[in-house]
mmCIF file with all atom_site columns, all heavy atoms in Angstrom:
data_model
loop_
_atom_site.group_PDB
_atom_site.id
_atom_site.type_symbol
_atom_site.label_atom_id
_atom_site.label_alt_id
_atom_site.label_comp_id
_atom_site.label_asym_id
_atom_site.label_entity_id
_atom_site.label_seq_id
_atom_site.pdbx_PDB_ins_code
_atom_site.Cartn_x
_atom_site.Cartn_y
_atom_site.Cartn_z
_atom_site.occupancy
_atom_site.B_iso_or_equiv
_atom_site.pdbx_formal_charge
_atom_site.auth_seq_id
_atom_site.auth_comp_id
_atom_site.auth_asym_id
_atom_site.auth_atom_id
_atom_site.pdbx_PDB_model_num
ATOM 1  N N   . SER A 1 45 ? 6.502  2.303  -12.744 1.00 0.00 ? 52 SER A N   1
ATOM 2  C CA  . SER A 1 45 ? 7.790  2.673  -13.314 1.00 0.00 ? 52 SER A CA  1
ATOM 3  C C   . SER A 1 45 ? 7.694  3.996  -14.059 1.00 0.00 ? 52 SER A C   1
ATOM 4  O O   . SER A 1 45 ? 8.692  4.515  -14.525 1.00 0.00 ? 52 SER A O   1
ATOM 5  C CB  . SER A 1 45 ? 8.287  1.583  -14.256 1.00 0.00 ? 52 SER A CB  1
ATOM 6  O OG  . SER A 1 45 ? 7.427  1.455  -15.365 1.00 0.00 ? 52 SER A OG  1
ATOM 7  N N   . GLU A 1 46 ? 6.491  4.499  -14.193 1.00 0.00 ? 53 GLU A N   1
ATOM 8  C CA  . GLU A 1 46 ? 6.318  5.771  -14.890 1.00 0.00 ? 53 GLU A CA  1
ATOM 9  C C   . GLU A 1 46 ? 6.439  6.921  -13.902 1.00 0.00 ? 53 GLU A C   1
ATOM 10 O O   . GLU A 1 46 ? 5.995  6.820  -12.768 1.00 0.00 ? 53 GLU A O   1
ATOM 11 C CB  . GLU A 1 46 ? 4.946  5.823  -15.564 1.00 0.00 ? 53 GLU A CB  1
ATOM 12 C CG  . GLU A 1 46 ? 4.772  4.791  -16.645 1.00 0.00 ? 53 GLU A CG  1
ATOM 13 C CD  . GLU A 1 46 ? 5.792  4.961  -17.754 1.00 0.00 ? 53 GLU A CD  1
ATOM 14 O OE1 . GLU A 1 46 ? 6.026  6.106  -18.164 1.00 0.00 ? 53 GLU A OE1 1
ATOM 15 O OE2 . GLU A 1 46 ? 6.375  3.953  -18.188 1.00 0.00 ? 53 GLU A OE2 1
ATOM 16 N N   . PRO A 1 47 ? 7.032  8.028  -14.311 1.00 0.00 ? 54 PRO A N   1
ATOM 17 C CA  . PRO A 1 47 ? 7.146  9.159  -13.399 1.00 0.00 ? 54 PRO A CA  1
ATOM 18 C C   . PRO A 1 47 ? 5.781  9.714  -13.044 1.00 0.00 ? 54 PRO A C   1
ATOM 19 O O   . PRO A 1 47 ? 4.810  9.532  -13.769 1.00 0.00 ? 54 PRO A O   1
ATOM 20 C CB  . PRO A 1 47 ? 7.974  10.181 -14.179 1.00 0.00 ? 54 PRO A CB  1
ATOM 21 C CG  . PRO A 1 47 ? 7.829  9.788  -15.603 1.00 0.00 ? 54 PRO A CG  1
ATOM 22 C CD  . PRO A 1 47 ? 7.628  8.304  -15.612 1.00 0.00 ? 54 PRO A CD  1
ATOM 23 N N   . SER A 1 48 ? 5.740  10.413 -11.928 1.00 0.00 ? 55 SER A N   1
ATOM 24 C CA  . SER A 1 48 ? 4.481  10.933 -11.429 1.00 0.00 ? 55 SER A CA  1
ATOM 25 C C   . SER A 1 48 ? 3.888  12.007 -12.331 1.00 0.00 ? 55 SER A C   1
ATOM 26 O O   . SER A 1 48 ? 2.719  12.310 -12.258 1.00 0.00 ? 55 SER A O   1
ATOM 27 C CB  . SER A 1 48 ? 4.688  11.507 -10.034 1.00 0.00 ? 55 SER A CB  1
ATOM 28 O OG  . SER A 1 48 ? 5.195  10.512 -9.186  1.00 0.00 ? 55 SER A OG  1
ATOM 29 N N   . MET A 1 49 ? 4.695  12.609 -13.118 1.00 0.00 ? 56 MET A N   1
ATOM 30 C CA  . MET A 1 49 ? 4.203  13.622 -14.037 1.00 0.00 ? 56 MET A CA  1
ATOM 31 C C   . MET A 1 49 ? 5.192  13.763 -15.178 1.00 0.00 ? 56 MET A C   1
ATOM 32 O O   . MET A 1 49 ? 6.284  13.241 -15.131 1.00 0.00 ? 56 MET A O   1
ATOM 33 C CB  . MET A 1 49 ? 4.040  14.968 -13.349 1.00 0.00 ? 56 MET A CB  1
ATOM 34 C CG  . MET A 1 49 ? 5.345  15.503 -12.802 1.00 0.00 ? 56 MET A CG  1
ATOM 35 S SD  . MET A 1 49 ? 5.325  17.247 -12.532 1.00 0.00 ? 56 MET A SD  1
ATOM 36 C CE  . MET A 1 49 ? 5.221  17.837 -14.178 1.00 0.00 ? 56 MET A CE  1
ATOM 37 N N   . ARG A 1 50 ? 4.785  14.454 -16.170 1.00 0.00 ? 57 ARG A N   1
ATOM 38 C CA  . ARG A 1 50 ? 5.670  14.725 -17.295 1.00 0.00 ? 57 ARG A CA  1
ATOM 39 C C   . ARG A 1 50 ? 6.198  16.150 -17.205 1.00 0.00 ? 57 ARG A C   1
ATOM 40 O O   . ARG A 1 50 ? 5.567  17.011 -16.601 1.00 0.00 ? 57 ARG A O   1
ATOM 41 C CB  . ARG A 1 50 ? 4.914  14.544 -18.605 1.00 0.00 ? 57 ARG A CB  1
ATOM 42 C CG  . ARG A 1 50 ? 4.466  13.119 -18.825 1.00 0.00 ? 57 ARG A CG  1
ATOM 43 C CD  . ARG A 1 50 ? 5.656  12.200 -18.969 1.00 0.00 ? 57 ARG A CD  1
ATOM 44 N NE  . ARG A 1 50 ? 5.234  10.829 -19.196 1.00 0.00 ? 57 ARG A NE  1
ATOM 45 C CZ  . ARG A 1 50 ? 6.073  9.805  -19.243 1.00 0.00 ? 57 ARG A CZ  1
ATOM 46 N NH1 . ARG A 1 50 ? 7.362  10.007 -19.084 1.00 0.00 ? 57 ARG A NH1 1
ATOM 47 N NH2 . ARG A 1 50 ? 5.630  8.588  -19.441 1.00 0.00 ? 57 ARG A NH2 1
ATOM 48 N N   . PRO A 1 51 ? 7.321  16.417 -17.814 1.00 0.00 ? 58 PRO A N   1
ATOM 49 C CA  . PRO A 1 51 ? 7.874  17.772 -17.777 1.00 0.00 ? 58 PRO A CA  1
ATOM 50 C C   . PRO A 1 51 ? 6.904  18.789 -18.357 1.00 0.00 ? 58 PRO A C   1
ATOM 51 O O   . PRO A 1 51 ? 6.075  18.461 -19.189 1.00 0.00 ? 58 PRO A O   1
ATOM 52 C CB  . PRO A 1 51 ? 9.126  17.661 -18.647 1.00 0.00 ? 58 PRO A CB  1
ATOM 53 C CG  . PRO A 1 51 ? 9.479  16.225 -18.612 1.00 0.00 ? 58 PRO A CG  1
ATOM 54 C CD  . PRO A 1 51 ? 8.179  15.476 -18.513 1.00 0.00 ? 58 PRO A CD  1
ATOM 55 N N   . GLY A 1 52 ? 7.028  20.001 -17.912 1.00 0.00 ? 59 GLY A N   1
ATOM 56 C CA  . GLY A 1 52 ? 6.223  21.077 -18.456 1.00 0.00 ? 59 GLY A CA  1
ATOM 57 C C   . GLY A 1 52 ? 5.082  21.506 -17.573 1.00 0.00 ? 59 GLY A C   1
ATOM 58 O O   . GLY A 1 52 ? 4.353  22.427 -17.901 1.00 0.00 ? 59 GLY A O   1
ATOM 59 N N   . SER A 1 53 ? 4.921  20.874 -16.448 1.00 0.00 ? 60 SER A N   1
ATOM 60 C CA  . SER A 1 53 ? 3.840  21.245 -15.548 1.00 0.00 ? 60 SER A CA  1
ATOM 61 C C   . SER A 1 53 ? 4.089  22.619 -14.952 1.00 0.00 ? 60 SER A C   1
ATOM 62 O O   . SER A 1 53 ? 5.216  22.995 -14.664 1.00 0.00 ? 60 SER A O   1
ATOM 63 C CB  . SER A 1 53 ? 3.731  20.220 -14.428 1.00 0.00 ? 60 SER A CB  1
ATOM 64 O OG  . SER A 1 53 ? 2.891  20.710 -13.411 1.00 0.00 ? 60 SER A OG  1
ATOM 65 N N   . ASP A 1 54 ? 2.992  23.354 -14.716 1.00 0.00 ? 61 ASP A N   1
ATOM 66 C CA  . ASP A 1 54 ? 3.108  24.631 -14.022 1.00 0.00 ? 61 ASP A CA  1
ATOM 67 C C   . ASP A 1 54 ? 3.545  24.449 -12.579 1.00 0.00 ? 61 ASP A C   1
ATOM 68 O O   . ASP A 1 54 ? 3.901  25.417 -11.908 1.00 0.00 ? 61 ASP A O   1
ATOM 69 C CB  . ASP A 1 54 ? 1.767  25.368 -14.052 1.00 0.00 ? 61 ASP A CB  1
ATOM 70 C CG  . ASP A 1 54 ? 1.425  25.844 -15.450 1.00 0.00 ? 61 ASP A CG  1
ATOM 71 O OD1 . ASP A 1 54 ? 2.346  25.961 -16.284 1.00 0.00 ? 61 ASP A OD1 1
ATOM 72 O OD2 . ASP A 1 54 ? 0.234  26.102 -15.704 1.00 0.00 ? 61 ASP A OD2 1
ATOM 73 N N   . ALA A 1 55 ? 3.502  23.241 -12.096 1.00 0.00 ? 62 ALA A N   1
ATOM 74 C CA  . ALA A 1 55 ? 3.881  22.972 -10.705 1.00 0.00 ? 62 ALA A CA  1
ATOM 75 C C   . ALA A 1 55 ? 5.378  23.091 -10.494 1.00 0.00 ? 62 ALA A C   1
ATOM 76 O O   . ALA A 1 55 ? 5.840  23.135 -9.366  1.00 0.00 ? 62 ALA A O   1
ATOM 77 C CB  . ALA A 1 55 ? 3.421  21.578 -10.292 1.00 0.00 ? 62 ALA A CB  1
ATOM 78 N N   . ILE A 1 56 ? 6.140  23.140 -11.578 1.00 0.00 ? 63 ILE A N   1
ATOM 79 C CA  . ILE A 1 56 ? 7.592  23.148 -11.462 1.00 0.00 ? 63 ILE A CA  1
ATOM 80 C C   . ILE A 1 56 ? 8.161  24.447 -12.021 1.00 0.00 ? 63 ILE A C   1
ATOM 81 O O   . ILE A 1 56 ? 7.830  24.850 -13.134 1.00 0.00 ? 63 ILE A O   1
ATOM 82 C CB  . ILE A 1 56 ? 8.212  21.949 -12.200 1.00 0.00 ? 63 ILE A CB  1
ATOM 83 C CG1 . ILE A 1 56 ? 7.739  20.640 -11.544 1.00 0.00 ? 63 ILE A CG1 1
ATOM 84 C CG2 . ILE A 1 56 ? 9.730  22.031 -12.202 1.00 0.00 ? 63 ILE A CG2 1
ATOM 85 C CD1 . ILE A 1 56 ? 8.290  19.402 -12.194 1.00 0.00 ? 63 ILE A CD1 1
ATOM 86 N N   . THR A 1 57 ? 9.011  25.067 -11.228 1.00 0.00 ? 64 THR A N   1
ATOM 87 C CA  . THR A 1 57 ? 9.708  26.278 -11.653 1.00 0.00 ? 64 THR A CA  1
ATOM 88 C C   . THR A 1 57 ? 11.207 26.005 -11.603 1.00 0.00 ? 64 THR A C   1
ATOM 89 O O   . THR A 1 57 ? 11.718 25.520 -10.595 1.00 0.00 ? 64 THR A O   1
ATOM 90 C CB  . THR A 1 57 ? 9.375  27.461 -10.711 1.00 0.00 ? 64 THR A CB  1
ATOM 91 O OG1 . THR A 1 57 ? 7.963  27.650 -10.688 1.00 0.00 ? 64 THR A OG1 1
ATOM 92 C CG2 . THR A 1 57 ? 10.065 28.729 -11.182 1.00 0.00 ? 64 THR A CG2 1
#
Side-chain angles (χ1 to χ4, degrees):
S52 64
E53 296 300 317
S55 302
M56 61 159 293
R57 296 296 181 186
S60 168
D61 291 339
I63 297 180
T64 303

